[in-house]
Amino acid sequence: MAHEFRTPEKLIHSEEDVARFHKSPAYQDITDFINVLCQSVTGQVIVLTTSDPALQSVLNLLLTCTSWIDQCPPRDGARRFGNAAFRDWHSLLETQARDLLSSLNLGEAVNCLDELLPYFTGSFGSAQRLDYGTGHELSFIAFLGALFKLRILSAANANHVRDVALTVFPAYLTLIQRLITIYTLEPAGSHGVWGLDDHFAIPYLLGSAQLSDSEPDAFPNPGTITNKKDVEELRQRNLYFNAIGFINDVKTGPFWEHSPMLYDISGVNNWQKIARGSTLKADTDNDSIQEGIADLKQAQDGTRDLVVSEFAADREALDADTPLPDDEPQTG
């Protein structure tokens, strides 16, 4: 039976809903997809370009979004929180996203846009709260997973899986890092020094997976993250070091002081342990990863129904702990 596309809605309102989500096919789909991406990048480096038309069409979406930054320069004047010009940029995103996604080769799935759009527009931070966090990052991962389900990208093409992780996602990461710095976006729901990173999680999963076949005494080792010169040399090749490099860009002071969790992890003696500990399912083994690849292929063959619309609960994911901008009225 053909999938009935529908606009995503918020389904998680309580701890009980979280527990239910953890047992859902949607949760299984998204964790399998991330683990498949992690497996595909072992021993590989970031590649900034592609000759594949399907992948280039996805990169073009991000290039267009990047071009809007010049149309929406930051507003002058001191502000306690993010720069309100981000709302101008996000307005362009909201008004032009449907036409952008229509440029993809949707084929018979052209009626998917109502369901696909919120995952894409929810990937770039909150215009209301002027913030960005891992919920928005996860929305982009869900969007990428949906492209495989819709057969815009092919799970049977090993290059598509690998290059989504090492070409498309780095391009997204570069855009987000620019948005954060240009519009001084706040971390969404950050745990401060008690969290891994103010904004990102996926670069650590993929970046440690890239290096997971390294010998324990090989360069770079986990402790290399504390050497800024080495980080600068490696950030264009590896996503873990890319994320560390961005922390160095935006934070001052001793690394152990502003990023104690990452500093502690740097004491682990090999990347394989970090990659294994970073995966969303600690019990994932090679068999289950292969099953994840098979699930993607079955979805494209139409032999398994994978529901895209339940990937993410709420693209805004507003956190009560995140302060509103000075001129933003409290709602709810």
Side-chain angles (χ1 to χ4, degrees), residues 196 222-223 225 240 260-269 271 274 278:
L196 185 70
I225 69 167
Y240 198 104
M261 285 191 67
L262 287 167
Y263 182 79
D264 287 347
I265 292 170
S266 73
V268 177
N269 64 2
W271 289 107
I274 293 175
S278 297

Side-chain angles (χ1 to χ4, degrees), residues 115-138:
E115 184 166 326
L116 189 62
L117 268 171
Y119 293 106
F120 183 69
T121 57
S123 301
F124 302 95
S126 169
Q128 179 188 14
R129 303 189 75 91
L130 302 178
D131 64 13
Y132 174 90
T134 52
H136 304 108
E137 178 187 57
L138 183 60

Side-chain angles (χ1 to χ4, degrees), residues 13-303:
H13 304 274
S14 65
E15 290 297 327
E16 290 76 13
D17 292 335
V18 173
R20 190 178 301 111
F21 174 64
H22 284 167
K23 297 177 181 178
S24 70
Y27 180 82
Q28 187 71 46
D29 286 348
I30 197 69
T31 52
D32 282 351
F33 180 57
I34 291 172
N35 286 322
V36 166
L37 294 179
C38 286
Q39 188 203 41
S40 75
V41 302
T42 302
Q44 305 293 317
V45 298
I46 294 171
V47 179
L48 298 179
T49 59
T50 181
S51 59
D52 185 279
L55 289 167
Q56 187 60 53
S57 68
V58 182
L59 284 177
N60 288 343
L61 303 179
L62 300 173
L63 289 171
T64 300
C65 292
T66 301
S67 71
W68 296 335
I69 294 175
D70 291 336
Q71 301 178 41
C72 307
R75 298 180 189 176
D76 295 333
R79 294 183 58 83
R80 186 180 174 191
F81 301 113
N83 194 290
F86 178 64
R87 293 187 180 126
D88 301 331
W89 183 91
H90 211 283
S91 177
L92 285 174
L93 173 69
E94 293 282 354
T95 57
Q96 299 192 36
R98 181 173 289 271
D99 288 341
L100 268 184
L101 296 189
S102 295
S103 68
L104 300 174
N105 184 20
L106 298 175
E108 296 179 359
V110 68
N111 59 336
C112 73
L113 288 179
D114 285 343
E115 184 166 326
L116 189 62
L117 268 171
Y119 293 106
F120 183 69
T121 57
S123 301
F124 302 95
S126 169
Q128 179 188 14
R129 303 189 75 91
L130 302 178
D131 64 13
Y132 174 90
T134 52
H136 304 108
E137 178 187 57
L138 183 60
S139 187
F140 189 70
I141 293 297
F143 169 74
L144 294 176
L147 297 186
F148 282 97
K149 293 186 178 190
L150 294 167
R151 302 190 184 93
I152 295 168
L153 300 175
S154 172
N157 185 332
N159 291 340
H160 277 189
V161 178
R162 181 199 63 208
D163 292 351
V164 156
L166 293 180
T167 302
V168 175
F169 186 79
Y172 165 77
L173 193 61
T174 297
L175 169 55
I176 295 301
Q177 289 170 350
R178 286 194 65 189
L179 292 175
I180 290 170
T181 53
I182 290 173
Y183 299 117
T184 58
L185 300 183
E186 291 289 305
S190 170
H191 294 285
V193 298
W194 303 110
L196 185 70
D197 185 294
D198 282 344
H199 301 101
F200 305 110
I202 298 299
Y204 299 101
L205 301 177
L206 295 177
S208 59
Q210 284 178 263
L211 296 166
S212 61
D213 64 342
S214 302
E215 295 295 326
D217 58 349
F219 176 87
N221 58 57
T224 305
I225 69 167
T226 60
N227 186 312
K228 288 187 176 181
K229 181 179 178 181
D230 288 338
V231 170
E232 282 302 304
E233 292 178 358
L234 293 163
R235 67 190 297 180
Q236 299 304 317
R237 297 166 50 197
N238 178 270
L239 285 161
Y240 198 104
F241 283 91
N242 185 286
I244 297 295
F246 185 65
I247 290 175
N248 290 340
D249 292 342
V250 299
K251 293 190 176 184
T252 59
F255 190 86
W256 60 265
E257 189 173 80
H258 59 64
S259 302
M261 285 191 67
L262 287 167
Y263 182 79
D264 287 347
I265 292 170
S266 73
V268 177
N269 64 2
N270 67 70
W271 289 107
Q272 188 176 21
K273 288 183 178 179
I274 293 175
R276 187 176 301 153
S278 297
T279 53
L280 295 184
K281 294 188 298 181
D283 61 344
T284 294
D285 56 19
N286 189 62
D287 288 341
S288 64
I289 290 175
Q290 293 300 328
E291 289 170 5
I293 295 173
D295 288 344
L296 281 175
K297 292 178 179 177
Q298 288 171 3
Q300 293 183 332
D301 293 340
T303 57

